[in-house]
Amino acid sequence: MSTSQNQQIQITKAATTKINDVDFDNLTFGSVFTDHLFECDYINGEWQTPVIKPYAPFLLDPSARVFHYGQAIFEGMKAYKDDANAVWLFRPDENFKRFNNSATRMAMPSVPENVFMNGLNELLKLEEAWVKKGNGSSLYIRPFMIATGTGVMANPSDNYKFMILLSPAKAYYAGEVKVLIAEHFSRAANGGIGAAKAAGNYAAQFYPTNLANKEGFQQVIWTDDTTHTKLEEAGTMNVFFRIKDTLFTAPTSERILDGITRKSLIELAASEGINVEVRPVLVAELVAAAKEGTLKEIFGAGTAAVISPISGFSYQDVYYELPKSEDTYASHLKEKLTNIQNKLTEDTFGWTVKV
């Protein structure tokens, strides 16, 4: 190993690399990680010297509060490599802002921009070879923060660990996705932490999703917590519905995550002349549109999946198959968005940032 100092970051390089053992054509999402990670500790009210070091397990005290009270947040980002071998990020400022919004909601310290952005950039420069070219290839970026303070007192931690992991990625979902509309379970409630990327939000989804899986569905479309009449999110993604030639998606709220892919698709669709309405979408109108034949598409949208078309949905034990078409808004918008992310077309929105 070799150690150096770069822009206030202590860098210790791995003695060997794992990259030659990775089959980049057959990746399981989020299962392979690069040679290095970024780490910065928050101790007694101050951020410490950040480090980049070889990827490895680390020790935590059994009484670390992340284990007992769930103070844990994360983000999802991607890096892309263009034909000239330059590495690009997509709207990283939005991820940074959302990360700190989540931190505030979970009573955790804000991560300074220079720690977050400089750490990410230096880590990506070191791991540049892991970012593969080609539309569909990317390097998934997982910034996260956990409470490391010790003691089982029910109050916020005094110490935290902020880290960034990198994982080469292909597609998140493969094949058709069928969904079950939730009639009892909810992803989040008003006044809760649904708008934060808190780890517990995702853990709470596992049980109802497992129940849906046993019935042959890949995901759940969540409904509001009080009436279960409003459609909100699909699995871990924001969700869009095309009725006739209009795209509908629910407004963000205390229950619905402010997805960066979501807001990008709204802007992109408008620029393409597609009518988009951001408003509450009722289960009843979705079922009525399916019966009338005016429901053309449903698709999820998020960093990992980008766009994931949904082939059909079930509600009250009735399954509604969506029409199959090659000329869909989902395929059109996904191509437009991924071309911008991969620098295959001009970024007129100013969304891409060079590392």
Side-chain angles (χ1 to χ4, degrees):
M1 295 186 184
S2 62
T3 302
S4 62
Q5 201 81 15
N6 191 347
Q7 294 184 349
Q8 308 286 302
I9 301 174
Q10 181 178 309
I11 301 174
T12 302
K13 294 184 179 179
T16 59
T17 180
K18 301 173 290 189
I19 196 168
N20 297 323
D21 298 325
V22 176
D23 181 357
F24 284 89
D25 293 323
N26 295 285
L27 292 166
T28 299
F29 183 85
S31 63
V32 175
F33 296 93
T34 64
D35 295 318
H36 302 86
L37 55 79
F38 175 86
E39 179 181 285
C40 190
D41 288 310
Y42 181 88
I43 301 174
N44 297 326
E46 294 185 357
W47 286 99
Q48 308 300 300
T49 300
V51 300
I52 291 174
K53 62 184 186 180
Y55 186 101
F58 60 92
L59 291 173
L60 278 181
D61 192 286
S63 71
R65 297 198 195 174
V66 64
F67 299 138
H68 302 273
Y69 302 110
Q71 276 187 291
I73 61 172
F74 67 94
E75 268 299 321
M77 310 169 66
K78 282 183 178 178
Y80 308 85
K81 183 174 283 184
D82 66 18
D83 288 337
N85 289 317
V87 176
W88 297 81
L89 293 168
F90 182 74
R91 307 190 77 171
D93 55 324
E94 294 288 341
N95 291 101
F96 170 70
K97 287 189 292 185
R98 191 171 66 181
F99 188 86
N100 278 336
N101 287 340
S102 297
T104 298
R105 182 61 184 85
M106 297 298 289
M108 304 170 85
S110 295
V111 176
E113 186 172 5
N114 67 312
V115 172
F116 190 106
M117 293 299 188
N118 289 352
L120 176 56
N121 273 274
E122 290 303 318
L123 183 60
L124 286 171
K125 288 175 185 176
L126 189 61
E127 305 287 52
E128 182 181 349
W130 289 82
V131 192
K132 298 302 181 182
K133 289 190 288 189
N135 209 332
S137 294
S138 62
L139 188 65
Y140 183 76
I141 301 164
R142 172 53 62 92
F144 69 100
M145 180 163 54
I146 59 173
T148 55
T150 58
V152 295
M153 304 78 74
N155 49 37
S157 176
D158 49 0
N159 297 338
Y160 297 87
K161 186 180 291 291
F162 170 64
M163 303 182 75
I164 304 175
L165 312 180
L166 304 178
S167 177
K170 287 285 191 182
Y172 189 70
Y173 295 112
E176 291 191 340
V177 176
K178 297 191 297 181
V179 298
L180 182 68
I181 293 180
E183 298 177 53
H184 171 70
F185 294 104
S186 298
R187 178 188 174 273
N190 283 332
I193 58 171
K197 280 190 76 73
N201 286 343
Y202 297 79
Q205 295 182 38
F206 295 159
Y207 175 68
T209 302
N210 283 347
L211 294 179
N213 293 162
K214 290 175 182 177
E215 294 184 42
F217 300 95
Q218 286 71 45
Q219 284 294 347
V220 174
I221 291 187
W222 307 105
T223 49
D224 68 286
D225 62 304
T226 52
T227 67
H228 295 288
T229 60
K230 298 173 185 176
L231 298 156
E232 301 208 320
E233 293 190 329
T236 58
M237 302 177 288
N238 296 115
V239 63
F240 288 79
F241 309 92
R242 178 187 174 184
I243 300 176
K244 295 182 180 177
D245 289 327
T246 298
L247 270 183
F248 297 89
T249 193
T252 56
S253 67
E254 291 180 298
R255 303 186 306 274
I256 298 177
L257 190 71
D258 186 11
I260 294 160
T261 303
R262 170 192 175 276
K263 67 176 64 178
S264 303
L265 289 175
I266 291 170
E267 291 184 56
L268 188 58
S271 74
E272 292 289 306
I274 297 172
N275 187 41
V276 182
E277 290 189 22
V278 179
R279 65 161 177 81
V281 182
L282 301 178
V283 177
E285 65 181 307
L286 189 74
V287 170
K291 289 178 177 178
E292 294 164 3
T294 56
L295 178 62
K296 304 299 183 184
E297 298 177 61
I298 306 174
F299 57 86
T303 298
V306 186
I307 287 179
S308 182
I310 291 168
S311 60
F313 71 93
S314 179
Y315 180 66
Q316 294 185 341
D317 297 323
V318 179
Y319 182 71
Y320 301 89
E321 186 81 25
L322 271 67
K324 298 194 185 307
S325 173
E326 293 186 4
D327 183 24
T328 63
Y329 285 174
S331 59
H332 177 72
L333 292 173
K334 183 173 184 178
E335 181 181 16
K336 291 287 184 180
L337 185 60
T338 56
N339 281 348
I340 291 171
Q341 291 171 331
N342 287 278
K343 306 301 288 183
L344 298 174
T345 57
E346 183 184 1
D347 174 15
T348 58
F349 299 93
W351 289 337
T352 51
V353 178
K354 192 174 183 180
V355 174

